[in-house]
Amino acid sequence: MTTVLKLGGSVVTRKEDPETVDADALAIAADAIAGALGDRSDGPDRLVVVHGGGSFGHHHADRHGVSATAGSHDAAALSEIHGAMGELNDAVLDAFHERGVNALPVRPLSVAYRADGTGDSGTDGATDGDDHSGTDSETARLHLPTASVEAMLAEGFVPVLHGDVVTHRGRGGTILSGDEIVVSLARSLDADRLGVCSTVPGVLDANGDVIERIDSLSSVAETLGASDATDVTGGMAGKVRALLAVPTPAHVFGLSDLEAFLAGRAPGTVVGGPE
Amino acid sequence: MTTVLKLGGSVVTRKEDPETVDADALAIAADAIAGALGDRSDGPDRLVVVHGGGSFGHHHADRHGVSATAGSHDAAALSEIHGAMGELNDAVLDAFHERGVNALPVRPLSVAYRADGTGDSGTDGATDGDDHSGTDSETARLHLPTASVEAMLAEGFVPVLHGDVVTHRGRGGTILSGDEIVVSLARSLDADRLGVCSTVPGVLDANGDVIERIDSLSSVAETLGASDATDVTGGMAGKVRALLAVPTPAHVFGLSDLEAFLAGRAPGTVVGGPE
């Protein structure tokens, strides 16, 4: 069974403090993962972890004016953002290694790129891991080949990817979010389960209660403000839309439910999946 | 025109001192590259740089018993070797950025893997950048997809790869040398020129003189001791054999000739290329 797990950037870092790991939260996450892999009877046998950038990289990206759509051709600036993301990745890997989780880094800048959705360059080269998410013409086609990730999984490693900068055809380099990565991986790895570990216990309704199941965006449009079709900013409506587009059932839950998710249970909100 | 340039690990690091950059040598190399890219009338318009590990990573690899053929499934050990190689990569990138070279890192562990040559897994997935170098049955097939490298080149960036650890099907992780990377890249990028910047001014004959041109291994077999068919250790005979197997003409030269090579001249020894 293949599981793709997103650890929210705001879960494992302190959003208020630039480039500061939330060591307590990371320890809880790493403990849950080590526990699940140690007891494979009900845990995942193939696990890919993706973490967001959180307070790492964020202010570098802001300072250089780089976003998911606004690119830069300044390699020093892009390397600075990439380097900050790498520091968080190192911290996550260290926490995993301390607990015997056989984790290896996969840096998206090294392997992925975007071809502009408005251009004609989307048809070249990449043969796997392609993902044309979203409906906005501004959305670019992400190419994230997974041969190296598959090789790691076959050897029993846990690949750990992260929000990063990536080359963006026609724009230099732009920001690639952890959310985009998990959606692409879930599809290209034909994942059985997709977990999104967040700072909230699930997708919340207007009363702040966890919605148990979401099968269509229209059913929750009012609650999430999803009627705004231009929402590509990574808000909850955008996340839900992206998760609904993937055949893999997705689970959105809080850190305290990570252990339950990895044990095969369905905490928080289930989004989409087979009819 | 596409140029692949190898900067020898022993050129840019002090082999005697663990994890010490040879700052003077690196500055000379970075100056030459910045100069060549600044004057594109005769310089390369698409440049990929690959550096060896030199004194970085080497003792970590030795300590953990990891080589090109001896693998490890200990992700913490592999990450330690990878991290040391990454520190050298950061130093090279810094030197490039200081001189306005728009360089971005490509970490081989993130993108490449080996399938054992003796297994049947060499036929899966990867569609480009495949390289089955060498004749020894112990030699594994290297998969180094270049879609991300091509995307960087198209945006005017200079991808910088390095000797690294890579996932090796059936063996965990093994060492991937800079020499293997340049041979793979020259082929998959259909490079026009391949430069190997070394600590010697070329391939030397028995008298220590630079051999001007090598078209076959047999012509220099006695001089290089190449009759020993089991040489897969990266000695000069092994390097020449690998370079002869690539359609791209290869130039082996010393650091003082890097500027001349990048200006389109042919210093040192020319190995192979079109008849």
Side-chain angles (χ1 to χ4, degrees):
Chain A
M1 193 172 73
T2 302
T3 301
V4 174
L5 171 66
K6 161 96 189 292
L7 293 177
S10 50
V11 174
V12 293
T13 71
R14 296 179 188 276
K15 275 256 176 181
E16 309 308 314
D17 306 319
E19 300 180 39
T20 307
V21 172
D22 187 333
D24 293 343
L26 179 55
I28 291 169
D31 282 343
I33 291 167
L37 292 172
D39 175 19
R40 299 205 178 193
S41 59
D42 55 2
D45 55 354
R46 290 161 49 101
L47 176 66
V48 180
V49 176
V50 180
H51 62 80
S55 66
F56 287 73
H58 228 292
H59 72 279
H60 292 292
D62 285 350
R63 194 155 52 84
H64 294 295
V66 179
S67 71
T69 52
S72 168
H73 282 90
D74 178 348
L78 298 173
S79 295
E80 194 181 298
I81 303 167
H82 176 68
M85 308 288 208
E87 281 174 42
L88 176 57
N89 190 242
D90 285 344
V92 171
L93 285 164
D94 284 348
F96 286 3
H97 292 158
E98 280 166 19
R99 290 160 178 85
V101 175
N102 240 358
L104 288 178
V106 175
R107 315 288 309 267
L109 174 61
S110 293
V111 63
Y113 72 98
R114 292 187 209 268
D116 239 355
T118 50
D120 63 353
S121 50
T123 55
D124 65 357
T127 54
D128 54 357
D130 290 9
D131 169 37
H132 195 173
S133 58
T135 54
D136 193 299
S137 66
E138 279 294 296
T139 305
R141 193 182 287 265
L142 172 67
H143 294 253
L144 176 53
T146 52
S148 55
V149 169
E150 294 269 18
M152 288 180 184
L153 289 171
E155 288 301 304
F157 295 121
V158 176
V160 182
L161 294 85
H162 60 86
D164 201 356
V165 288
V166 283
T167 305
H168 189 135
R169 295 289 291 271
R171 301 186 189 191
T174 54
I175 300 293
L176 175 67
S177 73
D179 286 332
E180 289 177 273
I181 296 171
V182 291
V183 164
S184 174
L185 288 178
R187 202 171 269 152
S188 53
L189 296 174
D190 194 18
D192 300 288
R193 305 184 81 216
L194 168 54
V196 178
C197 181
S198 174
T199 48
V200 287
V203 182
L204 306 181
D205 66 18
N207 298 322
D209 295 324
V210 173
I211 302 171
E212 206 165 295
R213 177 157 191 98
I214 299 176
D215 286 308
S216 71
L217 200 60
S218 60
S219 68
V220 291
E222 207 171 325
T223 307
L224 301 179
S227 56
D228 180 359
T230 60
D231 173 20
V232 292
T233 57
M236 191 55 93
K239 275 186 216 281
V240 168
R241 184 191 292 114
L243 295 175
L244 281 169
V246 181
T248 309
H251 302 260
V252 180
F253 52 84
L255 182 56
S256 60
D257 279 326
L258 175 55
E259 195 179 340
F261 167 75
L262 291 171
R265 296 199 290 278
T269 304
V270 181
V271 181
E275 301 291 298
Chain B
M1 194 173 73
T2 302
T3 301
V4 174
L5 171 66
K6 160 95 189 291
L7 292 177
S10 49
V11 175
V12 294
T13 71
R14 297 178 187 277
K15 275 255 174 180
E16 309 308 313
D17 306 318
E19 299 181 40
T20 307
V21 172
D22 187 333
D24 295 340
L26 178 56
I28 292 170
D31 283 341
I33 290 167
L37 292 172
D39 175 18
R40 297 204 178 195
S41 58
D42 55 1
D45 56 351
R46 289 160 50 101
L47 176 66
V48 180
V49 176
V50 180
H51 61 81
S55 66
F56 287 75
H58 228 290
H59 72 277
H60 292 292
D62 284 350
R63 193 157 51 84
H64 294 295
V66 179
S67 71
T69 51
S72 169
H73 282 89
D74 178 347
L78 297 173
S79 295
E80 195 181 298
I81 303 167
H82 175 68
M85 308 288 208
E87 281 174 41
L88 176 56
N89 189 242
D90 285 344
V92 171
L93 285 164
D94 285 347
F96 286 3
H97 293 158
E98 281 166 19
R99 290 160 179 85
V101 175
N102 240 358
L104 288 178
V106 175
R107 316 286 313 264
L109 174 61
S110 294
V111 61
Y113 73 98
R114 292 186 208 269
D116 239 354
T118 50
D120 63 352
S121 48
T123 54
D124 65 358
T127 54
D128 54 356
D130 289 9
D131 169 37
H132 195 175
S133 59
T135 53
D136 192 298
S137 66
E138 280 294 297
T139 305
R141 193 181 287 263
L142 172 65
H143 295 253
L144 176 53
T146 53
S148 56
V149 169
E150 293 268 19
M152 287 180 184
L153 289 171
E155 288 302 303
F157 294 121
V158 176
V160 181
L161 295 85
H162 60 87
D164 202 355
V165 290
V166 283
T167 306
H168 190 136
R169 295 287 292 270
R171 301 185 189 189
T174 54
I175 300 293
L176 174 67
S177 73
D179 286 332
E180 288 176 272
I181 295 171
V182 291
V183 164
S184 174
L185 288 179
R187 202 171 269 151
S188 53
L189 296 175
D190 194 18
D192 300 287
R193 305 183 82 216
L194 168 55
V196 178
C197 182
S198 174
T199 49
V200 288
V203 183
L204 305 180
D205 67 17
N207 298 322
D209 296 323
V210 173
I211 302 171
E212 205 166 292
R213 175 155 193 98
I214 299 176
D215 286 308
S216 71
L217 200 60
S218 60
S219 68
V220 291
E222 208 171 323
T223 306
L224 301 180
S227 56
D228 180 0
T230 61
D231 172 19
V232 291
T233 57
M236 191 54 91
K239 275 187 216 283
V240 168
R241 184 191 291 114
L243 295 176
L244 281 168
V246 180
T248 309
H251 301 261
V252 180
F253 52 83
L255 181 57
S256 60
D257 280 326
L258 175 55
E259 195 180 339
F261 168 75
L262 291 172
R265 296 198 290 280
T269 304
V270 181
V271 181
E275 299 292 299

